[in-house]
Structures are given as C-alpha cells and as structure tokens.
Amino acid sequence: FREAPGPGLLSVVAGDGARAVGGAAVELILDASGSMLQRMEGKRRIVVAREVLTEAVREHIPAGTPLALRVFGHKEADACRTDLEIPLAPLDPAAAAAKIAGIQAMNLARTPIADSLAAIAGDLKGAGGRAAVVLVTDGEETCEGDPAAVIEALRKKGIDVNLNIVGFAIGDAELEAQFESWADLGDGR
C-alpha cells in the first residue's frame, strides 16, 4: 500500500526549463473512462483531473500557445471512442477551461490509450517544432491497442513529440512501470 501523494501540478516547460513558447504545441489527452468516477481524497478522479488541467490552461500554459485537447471515455459506454474536443489552435484560457469543466466521466467507458496516441499525428498536423503531449490517466489500455508500438510508429514517422504521462491513483507497480516505459519511448516523463 502506498499513500496517494496528494494533488499534483501540471506545468508545461521547454527542455531548457523555460515555459513552452515560440511555436511549440501542446496536446492534452484526458481519460474520462469509468474508472475516473472512483474517489480519491474525497473527490472523484475526474474532478481532480479537471482541476489540474484547468489550472494548467489558466496559469501554466501561456495564452496563445498552440493547444489541442483530446478526450476518451466521455461520450459512449463500452466503446473505444476518442474525440478531439479542442482542435489545434492558439490557447484561449477561458474557452479551454470551460470545455474542460464540461467533461464528465462515463461509467463502463473503455480506455483507448493507443488510439488516442495514434491520433496525435492528425491532431498536431501543421504545428511547428516539437510538441508536448500530456496524457492524464488512471488506467491501463482496455481496447486491445499497443501504446508502445504506436509511440514507436510516431517516432519513425518523424513526428517530434515529447510524451508525458500523468498517472494517478495507480496502485499497480507493473502498470506504473508500463507508463514509465511509454514515457521513455516518447522522450518524456
């Protein structure tokens, strides 16, 4: 048993520690599957995730930064659906926060991590330079995809992304190690 570390902070920075600016794009991928309805420190996980992402778009990602938001698990039960909720555009903090606030997790929804990662190529088409991708999830791939293979395919296609995974309420050392290996493949954390 490991005690939950408490609320987190999401900050997007360039490799040199500077804030992400100068054409670098950011894609946020949010897990809104059924497991996100479970409670963590008295709140549903989806509420915690929405709070963190709202803070990120309001306070940590500079306005005007090219940003996209993809969400899975929020529209259809027992489906491997993933949707681009905010197409790549300069970040409007208020509009992004409003979109995030409206996302609800759906019971019995599945977790298409591989399909969501595969969509990055199209989501970020036209973005200049390296892109930071932040996947916020509490669970494993449940749609028979292979996230590691998708990440490798993106790299082989020359898509310059930095994949970062925010895995929370992870109580399985094997799943945590899997997330770490995916982040390593994606040159992220």
Side-chain angles (χ1 to χ4, degrees):
F1 175 78
R2 284 189 289 169
E3 189 66 34
L9 173 68
L10 176 63
S11 184
V12 178
V13 296
D16 62 1
R19 291 235 166 156
V21 293
V26 176
E27 179 160 359
L28 305 173
I29 302 175
L30 175 59
D31 177 349
S33 64
S35 61
M36 294 292 280
L37 292 169
Q38 294 180 32
R39 294 195 178 271
M40 180 173 95
E41 297 179 11
K43 294 181 182 178
R44 293 194 185 274
R45 293 175 186 172
I46 190 67
V47 171
V48 174
R50 283 194 316 247
E51 288 171 354
V52 169
L53 291 179
T54 298
E55 181 179 322
V57 299
R58 287 193 178 275
E59 300 175 25
H60 302 292
I61 302 171
T65 299
L67 180 124
L69 171 67
R70 177 165 288 282
V71 182
F72 59 84
H74 66 306
K75 290 193 174 178
E76 193 174 346
D78 198 29
C80 293
R81 180 175 174 167
T82 178
D83 296 283
L84 184 62
E85 292 294 335
I86 300 177
L88 186 66
L91 171 62
D92 173 340
K99 179 60 90 173
I100 291 166
I103 296 168
Q104 299 296 321
M106 180 171 285
N107 196 23
L108 302 177
R110 297 174 68 197
T111 308
I113 293 173
D115 288 348
S116 296
L117 294 174
I120 290 170
D123 295 352
L124 298 178
K125 189 173 184 172
R130 187 172 192 118
V133 176
V134 180
L135 168 63
V136 179
T137 184
D138 71 340
E140 62 189 343
E141 166 72 40
T142 61
C143 292
E144 300 180 23
D146 185 348
V150 169
I151 296 164
E152 289 173 356
L154 288 171
R155 305 299 269 177
K156 286 178 184 175
K157 288 180 184 174
I159 298 170
D160 194 13
V161 297
N162 175 275
L163 174 63
N164 301 279
I165 302 173
V166 179
F168 61 94
I170 306 297
D172 181 335
E174 187 176 316
L175 182 58
E176 187 175 329
Q178 187 174 57
F179 284 173
E180 287 177 18
S181 73
W182 294 345
D184 285 344
L185 277 173
D187 198 26
R189 297 175 56 184

